[in-house]
Amino acid sequence: LEHELLNQYEHFLQLLRKLQRKSHPSQQELGARLCSKLVKPASEFNHNEVLLGLAVDFCNNKATRVATPCITALSELLESELVSE
């Protein structure tokens, strides 16, 4: 079961990467919103470096509606890390 879950998660990360590379902003926005929802809960899960890298890539998008969800999610993650220290 764990192996299957990990395979599905890896496939989902690949889907997010494809959405991030799409040229249409609405597809990129969907990817950014999905990614932003995972940033905090999955930040300590397998492949967290891939997920956080995707979030940073979405943050660098010139369209505000694409960048904002991940900027907010990463900001909240950093704030929670600072509080826990």
Side-chain angles (χ1 to χ4, degrees):
L1 181 64
E2 183 179 343
H3 179 69
E4 181 61 28
L5 177 62
L6 189 55
N7 282 339
Q8 292 299 318
Y9 182 63
E10 289 169 352
H11 179 72
F12 184 71
L13 290 175
Q14 291 171 2
L15 175 66
L16 288 179
R17 174 64 69 197
K18 287 178 185 176
L19 287 170
Q20 188 262 329
R21 292 180 176 159
K22 294 285 185 182
S23 60
H24 200 279
S26 65
Q27 292 172 320
Q28 294 172 347
E29 181 183 13
L30 173 62
R33 285 186 296 140
L34 292 170
C35 184
S36 70
K37 297 295 183 191
L38 285 176
V39 165
K40 187 165 174 137
S43 65
E44 296 183 24
F45 192 63
N46 292 342
H47 305 296
N48 61 353
E49 70 282 353
V50 175
L51 177 65
L52 293 175
L54 279 166
V56 169
D57 290 343
F58 280 118
C59 288
N60 287 317
N61 193 294
K62 60 185 171 187
T64 304
R65 70 183 192 171
V66 175
T68 301
C70 285
I71 290 172
T72 302
L74 289 174
S75 176
E76 290 171 359
L77 178 64
L78 290 173
E79 287 174 14
S80 69
E81 289 293 317
L82 289 174
V83 168
S84 67
E85 290 181 359

